[in-house]
Amino acid sequence: MDTDAKTGEHVFGAPRTGRPGPLSGVKVLDLSAYIAGPYGCSLLADQGATVIKVEPPAGDNLRKYPSTLETESRAFLGVNRSKFGVMLDLKQPADLERLRALANEADVLVHNFRPSVPGRLGIAYEQLSESNPRLIYCAVSGYGETGPLKDKAGYDQVLQTMTGMCTLQGRKEGPPEILYGSIVDYYAASLVSGAVASALYEREKSGQGQYVGVSLLRSALTMQSARMIWADSEPRDVGRDMRSGGITGIHPTREGFIYISANTPHFWQALCEKTGLAHLLKTDRYDSVRKRAQHHDEIVPALHAALRERSAMEWEAIFGEEVPCSAARSVEDMFDFPQVTAEDMIATFEHPVVGRYRGFTRPVKFGRTPGPDPFAAPTLDQHGDLVREAADRTRRDA
């Protein structure tokens, strides 16, 4: 049965349009909601996998998030590209059997139910792997499968706050601060994509599927591996902040702000010379990152005075390749940013309700198998009739 990503005519396992990707032919059921699981599945779709997003009658809750788009959530569109959509009510026996039929044909199933839920529904790994032992079953949770918090709901900013991110992000004498942008969710999505790909590779050797567990707690701590070192000889309160003392950071200019990185001797020298602060190079008080951090109260005021002479964009041009830097831009600037355009990171999508929009795509480059054409996130149950018919046919033929 044929697939056309533009019209939505689809049955599970049919090819997508465009060139193959490294995961073309892989069939994925995405039962997850919000960001971590869904975007992990979009990363698989970017690599060629055929992904069916399975939603409850109320839809993925991300569809209801605030958005200036009247008909759809911007977040949902961004997180669920290149998927086919079906609505199944797993509390209804017929739909549950349809899901099980789809799972029998799937290579991968991803969900973010709390650990106690899949068994009650009859879709735990042990239950589905009986009829499909090659299934890669990826469970995304807040805290993992065991321990006192295993059934607690986990969310990005909850895990940020729990794991020390917010404390270290805030100023030393100020309150903890959230890192906006759902960074824990997106990092967990990368872990989902990478872990599933690894499990598929292992299956090629063993012929067997397996359970894969990704949690937001693991994601949050993985992101802090450079901080998660504690020698036996150290006290509890040790310095874990990796910031380099005020020189490297965002600074005001005559117009706008600029980020500067000047940790190496070469970059520090170029920064001083280009800002008219070459006299700072004549003293050994500032000749290392550590020393500059210790004396940042002496250096930063002089740097700010120099930066006030020009705008952020002017300084960016002056520093060029000699001082790593960037003027602070808005995300809107990225849609037509020359480097983004050159790297083919933005695609144009056609959505049946929203219409035409531009969005991000192709996070990884593959030279020989670049992957099929991306397409818009589905409306609720957009491909439901075709997927349900395919599931029913599979049940009859079983």
Side-chain angles (χ1 to χ4, degrees):
M1 285 163 275
D2 296 329
T3 294
D4 186 333
K6 295 179 181 178
T7 64
E9 295 177 6
H10 170 75
V11 274
F12 205 27
R16 286 171 52 187
T17 62
R19 298 177 65 183
L23 295 182
S24 288
V26 171
K27 296 165 281 190
V28 179
L29 285 175
D30 176 14
L31 279 68
S32 59
Y34 290 103
I35 295 176
Y39 197 65
C41 292
S42 280
L43 295 176
L44 298 174
D46 289 336
Q47 298 174 68
T50 298
V51 180
I52 293 183
K53 184 172 181 67
V54 180
E55 298 181 72
D60 184 334
N61 200 44
L62 199 61
R63 290 186 183 273
K64 305 176 182 65
Y65 267 47
S67 173
T68 52
L69 293 173
E70 293 183 5
T71 55
E72 188 59 274
S73 160
R74 191 183 314 278
F76 183 87
L77 294 178
V79 169
N80 289 282
R81 65 175 173 269
S82 301
K83 299 177 185 179
F84 302 93
V86 60
M87 181 181 69
L88 295 177
D89 185 352
L90 300 186
K91 296 178 182 178
Q92 300 301 319
D95 277 357
L96 183 58
E97 287 305 310
R98 288 185 177 111
L99 177 66
R100 293 179 66 88
L102 292 171
N104 285 340
E105 300 292 321
D107 297 292
V108 179
L109 183 147
V110 178
H111 74 73
N112 66 340
F113 297 121
R114 298 187 200 185
S116 61
V117 173
R120 294 203 307 266
L121 291 174
I123 58 170
Y125 171 66
E126 295 76 15
Q127 295 163 318
L128 295 182
S129 62
E130 288 182 3
S131 53
N132 184 1
R134 290 175 55 83
L135 181 67
I136 307 300
Y137 185 101
C138 180
V140 183
S141 63
Y143 304 91
E145 301 83 2
T146 60
L149 300 181
K150 66 182 179 65
D151 287 314
K152 183 180 175 68
Y155 293 93
D156 180 288
Q157 295 174 9
V158 173
L159 270 299
Q160 285 189 38
T161 307
M162 174 181 288
T163 60
M165 285 185 175
C166 298
T167 299
L168 283 170
Q169 180 70 10
R171 296 182 181 276
K172 191 170 184 179
E173 303 301 326
E177 294 184 6
I178 291 290
L179 289 74
Y180 289 100
S182 301
I183 59 169
V184 175
D185 280 338
Y186 279 104
Y187 194 77
S190 296
L191 294 180
V192 167
S193 175
V196 165
S198 294
L200 287 168
Y201 173 76
E202 193 280 335
R203 191 183 70 175
E204 291 301 302
K205 296 181 288 184
S206 68
Q208 299 178 356
Q210 62 177 302
Y211 179 93
V212 176
V214 175
S215 73
L216 298 187
L217 176 60
R218 286 183 184 276
S219 176
L221 294 182
T222 300
M223 293 176 69
Q224 300 185 85
S225 292
R227 296 170 175 169
M228 295 291 292
I229 301 294
W230 193 352
D232 288 346
S233 60
E234 292 183 306
R236 176 183 175 86
D237 188 17
V238 297
R240 300 182 187 275
D241 191 343
M242 296 175 60
R243 285 172 285 194
S244 50
I247 312 304
T248 291
I250 295 178
H251 300 281
T253 68
R254 185 179 67 194
E255 180 181 345
F257 292 82
I258 189 167
Y259 179 89
I260 296 170
S261 177
N263 290 332
T264 68
H266 173 75
F267 294 144
W268 167 243
Q269 179 177 341
L271 174 66
C272 290
E273 290 174 349
K274 288 182 176 295
T275 54
L277 300 176
H279 63 279
L280 299 180
L281 299 171
K282 298 178 181 179
T283 172
D284 59 6
R285 285 169 59 81
Y286 311 138
D287 64 2
S288 72
V289 175
R290 180 171 294 183
K291 289 181 180 179
R292 291 194 289 274
Q294 291 170 345
H295 301 291
H296 74 275
D297 289 342
E298 303 167 11
I299 302 172
V300 171
L303 177 61
H304 284 182
L307 292 176
R308 281 196 292 270
E309 296 298 315
R310 293 180 173 86
S311 71
M313 299 298 291
E314 289 172 327
W315 281 117
E316 185 181 81
I318 290 169
F319 291 147
E321 297 181 6
E322 297 182 61
V323 180
C325 69
S326 177
R329 292 173 169 83
S330 69
V331 69
E332 289 79 10
D333 294 325
M334 292 296 98
F335 284 87
D336 298 300
F337 192 67
Q339 187 63 30
V340 172
T341 302
E343 284 289 297
D344 194 26
M345 297 181 188
I346 302 296
T348 298
F349 299 87
E350 294 285 350
H351 190 273
V353 177
V354 177
R356 179 176 295 183
Y357 66 89
R358 290 190 292 166
F360 180 79
T361 187
R362 301 197 189 285
V364 180
K365 272 191 173 181
F366 294 95
R368 185 170 52 81
T369 57
D373 302 327
F375 58 96
T379 58
L380 183 60
D381 204 41
Q382 181 175 344
H383 311 99
D385 289 343
L386 292 167
V387 174
R388 282 186 289 271
E389 289 173 9
D392 291 341
R393 189 161 40 250
T394 299
R395 292 166 59 197
R396 289 194 300 269
D397 294 343

